[in-house]
Amino acid sequence: MKKDDALSRRPQELELKLALPACDPAELEKKLARMPGLARRKPSHLQLHNTYYDTPEQTLRRKRVALRLRRVGSDAKPEWLQTLKMGGTGNSALSQRGEWETSVPGAQLALPALEATPWIDIDPDGDLFRKLAPCFVTSFDRTSWAVRKPGGSIVEVSLDVGQIVVEGKSIPICELELELLAGQPSALFGLARQIARSIAVMPETRSKAERGYALAEDSLDRPLRAQPPPLHAKMVPAEAAQCVLREMFCQFTANLNTLRHSNAPEVLHQARVGWRRFRSACRLFKPVLDADTVPSWEPLKTLLTLVGELRDLDVARTETLPKFADAYTAGNVRREEKWQALNQALTQSADVQRKAICYALEVPSVGAALLGITQWLEELPQQKESGKALDALDMSFRRWARRCIARLHKQLKGALHDADTLEGQHQARILAKRTRYGIEALKPLLNRQRTKRWYRQATDLQTNIGMARDLVQANLLVVKVEADHELAEFLRGVAVGQERSN
């Protein structure tokens, strides 16, 4: 990249990506233009058409590389920019990547424009470049404001509205990108918090390119499952806490974003799992976290309640109750009608609950809370360590991790002595989950043989207690939707019978 190229971009891009659940483009632009940070600043307007390239084997995607050709402006007077992006964490709305952008003569990729970039390390002989072909397109209108903050920071706020297109399929784009042009990353979050006071936002962990690939392979609605990051013994606890908590929070928010356009029960389930893993890990790492910096989760209370209630409905109608359908109906037409009526009532309740979750995501305080957690996670390694954290640093991270899991296992064993009541079983199940989540998070540092046994015990206990709890919960839901009395009595009898057999 030539230094005197006026259109060349600096090689580091730092941006905060935010989805906009309540997407009304015209209204959003008006709200943004009235905000204190953006008011009286003249916005710029661009039409951007981007074609992304990769090999048929998606070599660039696997290397976390994106190469695009961007047309700026109209068909009559286009400008062409070629951009190479590399790296990025992939599990945070705050993305830091290498970026090399250069003007090119026309609507063709230009190998010479990549000479002064890391492309030479990826493709030293040009074979990869010759295999590149268009794989998807993003086309959107961008409205941008340049905001100068006290202290010299400059942030570009961009509202992008348009679509991603691949092979006749398309999905909408409606999001904010806050890019740091100068200054400190805290300026991004400061401005984002101002926006989140009046506009509903959601941390967006997937780039447009990642969503383009997902659209191409029909995996947009695929739930994001746990992907614990690789830890190593030389990490300091705060660094490890950031890696673990960021992955778990990503699982939560990514599935919430998917839930806005997916009715799949597993997406909802993985969102709930992500939050429970996150809460469990916060407790696990509590000795090494500065309690004064932990953001409030109170604004998420209603959303989390709705998620839990919908999960109960999904489990009841798709997992628990279908096991007993044949035993109840026994080929009887009248009973089959009653069973179908119950299914319909539970499905309708689930649909209402799912809409309520989408409405909850459009409440600005929810997005502001999620944004606050995102910032907290990004700043974890720089936070002042508590006295307990300093004590923890007196031992190796591996030793600290093993002690944490041993303590959890001991607590679980103690809880089993009081598991004769429903409340006791509930507490034992919670500790079983915490033990399982803790072992999954710290697995690379633990004694393999011992923790394998503890993990199996915790998983079996969680499953067995969970099945009994699910049947009790299903019965409560059957009563709540006012199912036929005879059917409700049948299911109550099943629950009593299983409780006695246990």
Side-chain angles (χ1 to χ4, degrees):
M1 183 173 60
K2 296 180 181 179
K3 291 183 179 179
D4 59 355
D5 188 341
L7 290 174
S8 293
R9 297 287 298 277
R10 61 193 178 91
Q12 196 66 244
E13 175 193 60
L14 183 65
E15 67 179 17
L16 182 63
K17 298 187 294 295
L18 301 174
L20 299 167
C23 186
D24 179 344
E27 187 63 27
L28 281 169
E29 185 173 341
K30 290 178 183 177
K31 282 186 176 181
L32 286 167
R34 291 195 298 264
M35 291 190 53
L38 305 182
R40 297 184 300 278
R41 300 179 189 275
K42 186 177 180 180
S44 63
H45 299 275
L46 290 174
Q47 291 180 324
L48 303 178
H49 183 87
N50 308 286
T51 303
Y52 286 78
Y53 291 80
D54 207 338
T55 67
E57 302 79 23
Q58 296 188 351
T59 305
L60 297 187
R61 183 188 191 186
R62 293 200 306 271
K63 294 178 179 293
R64 301 192 63 79
V65 173
L67 181 62
R68 76 177 182 221
L69 191 62
R70 165 172 287 179
R71 187 191 71 206
V72 181
S74 64
D75 293 336
K77 300 182 68 174
E79 294 181 55
W80 298 95
L81 300 172
Q82 182 173 291
T83 307
L84 173 69
K85 295 191 179 188
M86 299 182 62
T89 59
N91 61 5
S92 174
L94 184 68
S95 172
Q96 185 167 359
R97 296 176 293 183
E99 181 186 60
W100 294 262
E101 185 169 90
T102 310
S103 61
V104 291
Q108 302 288 334
L109 288 179
L111 185 57
L114 296 170
E115 287 178 356
T117 76
W119 183 268
I120 191 67
D121 299 321
I122 302 171
D123 183 28
D125 53 13
D127 285 346
L128 181 60
F129 186 85
R130 286 187 286 272
K131 296 178 183 177
L132 295 175
C135 50
F136 57 88
V137 167
T138 66
S139 183
F140 52 92
D141 293 329
R142 168 168 287 179
T143 304
S144 299
W145 295 261
V147 181
R148 296 181 179 272
K149 304 291 288 183
S153 295
I154 304 174
V155 177
E156 183 179 71
V157 180
S158 297
L159 172 64
D160 292 344
V161 179
Q163 59 182 347
I164 302 174
V165 181
V166 54
E167 296 178 351
K169 299 176 291 186
S170 67
I171 54 170
I173 294 171
C174 187
E175 62 190 34
L176 279 178
E177 288 186 359
L178 282 71
E179 183 173 358
L180 187 68
L181 302 182
Q184 298 301 313
S186 57
L188 292 175
F189 285 103
L191 188 54
R193 286 198 305 272
Q194 290 181 20
I195 294 171
R197 290 178 190 145
S198 57
I199 295 176
V201 301
M202 284 279 293
E204 175 58 83
T205 58
R206 293 195 297 181
S207 67
K208 295 181 182 73
E210 289 171 313
R211 281 173 276 160
Y213 281 116
L215 177 62
E217 63 185 19
D218 293 320
S219 63
L220 270 171
D221 291 345
R222 184 180 298 166
L224 178 62
R225 291 178 166 81
Q227 299 172 326
L231 304 181
H232 55 82
K234 293 184 179 180
M235 278 183 164
V236 298
E239 181 187 4
Q242 183 190 51
C243 289
V244 170
L245 291 170
R246 193 158 56 183
E247 179 273 326
M248 294 171 172
F249 188 63
C250 172
Q251 184 188 11
F252 175 57
T253 57
N255 283 299
L256 281 182
N257 267 321
T258 302
L259 194 66
R260 289 162 45 209
H261 50 78
S262 171
N263 293 330
E266 189 59 21
V267 172
L268 183 281
H269 177 47
Q270 291 303 320
R272 194 184 191 201
V273 168
W275 179 254
R276 287 183 165 182
R277 292 175 65 231
F278 177 77
R279 286 292 304 270
S280 178
C282 284
R283 185 185 293 267
L284 184 71
F285 283 101
K286 186 176 181 180
V288 299
L289 299 177
D290 183 357
D292 294 335
T293 66
V294 178
S296 172
W297 300 334
E298 183 64 26
L300 302 179
K301 187 175 181 180
T302 298
L303 171 67
L304 296 170
T305 298
L306 292 170
V307 167
E309 291 172 350
L310 178 55
R311 177 58 184 163
D312 287 339
L313 280 162
D314 283 344
V315 170
R317 67 190 183 87
T318 66
E319 299 177 22
T320 304
L321 294 179
K323 302 173 189 173
F324 310 108
D326 291 341
Y328 175 73
T329 58
N332 184 295
V333 175
R334 183 177 61 85
R335 289 190 171 193
E336 287 177 354
E337 291 174 350
K338 291 180 180 180
W339 192 270
Q340 290 301 321
L342 171 62
N343 278 336
Q344 185 176 2
L346 291 173
T347 299
Q348 289 175 345
S349 293
D351 290 342
V352 170
Q353 200 76 4
R354 207 166 261 107
K355 290 177 181 177
I357 291 174
C358 291
Y359 289 141
L361 293 175
E362 295 179 9
V363 176
S365 60
V366 170
L370 296 174
L371 185 62
I373 296 174
T374 301
Q375 181 176 6
W376 174 64
L377 291 174
E378 293 303 321
E379 296 174 351
L380 263 182
Q382 290 79 43
Q383 289 174 6
K384 181 180 177 182
E385 289 156 338
S386 65
K388 289 183 178 179
L390 294 175
D391 291 340
L393 291 173
D394 288 339
M395 66 182 79
S396 72
F397 181 40
R398 185 185 301 277
R399 186 182 176 195
W400 177 84
R402 292 183 175 187
R403 280 195 176 186
C404 284
I405 299 304
R407 191 180 303 116
L408 270 175
H409 182 254
K410 184 177 180 180
Q411 291 173 355
L412 177 58
K413 286 176 65 178
L416 289 176
H417 293 298
D418 302 318
D420 295 334
T421 64
L422 286 177
E423 179 60 28
Q425 291 175 4
H426 179 62
Q427 292 303 318
R429 188 181 183 219
I430 289 175
L431 279 167
K433 287 182 179 180
R434 286 175 52 198
T435 301
R436 183 166 67 85
Y437 294 153
I439 290 174
E440 289 172 350
L442 301 176
K443 186 177 179 180
L445 306 170
L446 305 176
N447 180 285
R448 183 177 301 179
Q449 186 172 359
R450 177 186 297 174
T451 51
K452 183 178 181 180
R453 184 174 70 254
W454 291 354
Y455 185 83
R456 185 171 59 249
Q457 291 172 349
T459 301
D460 291 345
L461 179 63
Q462 179 187 340
T463 300
N464 293 335
I465 296 178
M467 289 175 62
R469 184 263 182 196
D470 290 342
L471 185 54
V472 171
Q473 190 63 35
N475 273 273
L476 293 175
L477 291 172
V478 167
V479 173
K480 187 175 181 179
V481 299
E482 300 180 350
D484 178 81
H485 178 71
E486 178 191 82
L487 195 163
E489 284 297 305
F490 165 78
L491 292 172
R492 190 179 70 82
V494 171
V496 171
Q498 289 205 357
E499 183 180 350
R500 288 175 178 172
S501 66
N502 293 334

